[in-house]
Amino acid sequence: VTVNVKTNSAKIYGSTDGSNWSLITSGATVTASGYKYFKVTSTSKYCVLNSISVVYTAGTTPSLTPTPTSLAWGSVLQSSSQSTKTFDISGSNLTGNLSVAVTGGYSVSCGSSISVTSGTPNVTTITVTPPSTSTTGEKNGKVTISGGGLASDVEIDLSMTVNAAYAVHYYVNGSEITGLKELVASGGKVSSLPDAESCDAVNYPYFVGWSTTNFGSTTSAPSLVTGNETISSETTYYAV
């Protein structure tokens, strides 16, 4: 913006919001950028605003912004199912298509490239699928987007920690009740032992509790568990 006034005693102020003003110069002419509002004061009896001109130049630097810049699945149990997560991208002045690389066993919905039209990406939301939880440990990865005239790569950090867990099975009358199966962290305990209703009391009317011993394979009454036992391996409970 160039402001020219017909007196050297003028003070020219600039503001971005129309409320807070900054003195730009004390003089007849000022050229400044970044301001939306201007005002002129003068100690002279007459102060004539000769001219004001505004020139806007659009940015031409290629840019790409991801939101958010990281995705975290946190701590999860081994062999558990994990949902996908997404991040958005917005870009401008891109000069060509974008290349996408993913590490850590993760995968993305856009594949290995993103097409660009009129300087902007044709994909704005990218879905990330986490790696398998069949093994324990840190599952860290990264989505890297490059090309399109970007001065530097755009990166989105990915993380997940898989903790050891064991399956706990529940059997009634020799058959597993699959709906009761649960995963328990190594060293943890079951959330609660299922009650008679969960075991279908109609088919098992004399249910008294659970045991780690299959009643059908022993002639002595099996001892019952309380549900307070530490789980350190795959475990099967039998209805008694």
Side-chain angles (χ1 to χ4, degrees), residues 25-206:
T25 187
S26 295
T29 304
V30 63
T31 299
S33 61
Y35 297 104
K36 293 175 65 177
Y37 306 90
F38 291 88
K39 71 177 180 180
V40 180
T41 64
S42 175
T43 59
S44 174
K45 185 176 181 179
Y46 299 102
C47 178
V48 179
L49 180 62
N50 280 348
S51 64
I52 181 168
S53 62
V54 179
V55 177
Y56 170 73
T57 303
T60 57
T61 302
S63 66
L64 187 75
T65 302
T67 306
T69 57
S70 64
L71 296 175
W73 278 257
S75 295
V76 303
L77 295 180
Q78 184 178 10
S79 300
S80 63
S81 298
Q82 297 301 313
S83 60
T84 59
K85 292 182 181 293
T86 63
F87 67 91
D88 296 329
I89 58 172
S90 60
S92 61
N93 303 310
L94 297 169
T95 59
N97 293 341
L98 301 168
S99 297
V100 182
V102 192
T103 62
Y106 294 84
S107 61
V108 291
S109 57
C110 63
S112 60
S113 65
I114 299 173
S115 60
V116 170
T117 302
S118 300
T120 61
N122 291 329
V123 173
T124 57
T125 299
I126 297 175
T127 301
V128 181
T129 302
S132 169
T133 60
S134 60
T135 58
T136 61
E138 300 292 330
K139 309 289 185 180
N140 296 324
K142 193 183 297 290
V143 178
T144 301
I145 304 176
S146 59
L150 294 172
S152 59
D153 295 345
V154 172
E155 296 180 337
I156 299 89
D157 292 321
L158 311 171
S159 63
M160 180 172 67
T161 301
V162 181
N163 297 317
Y166 299 101
V168 177
H169 308 272
Y170 295 91
Y171 276 72
V172 176
N173 284 337
S175 299
E176 181 177 8
I177 308 300
T178 56
L180 299 180
K181 178 182 175 181
E182 62 180 306
L183 285 173
V184 178
S186 178
K189 301 172 183 179
V190 295
S191 54
S192 63
L193 290 174
D195 56 19
E197 184 177 356
S198 301
C199 301
D200 191 349
V202 174
N203 294 328
Y204 208 83
Y206 306 111

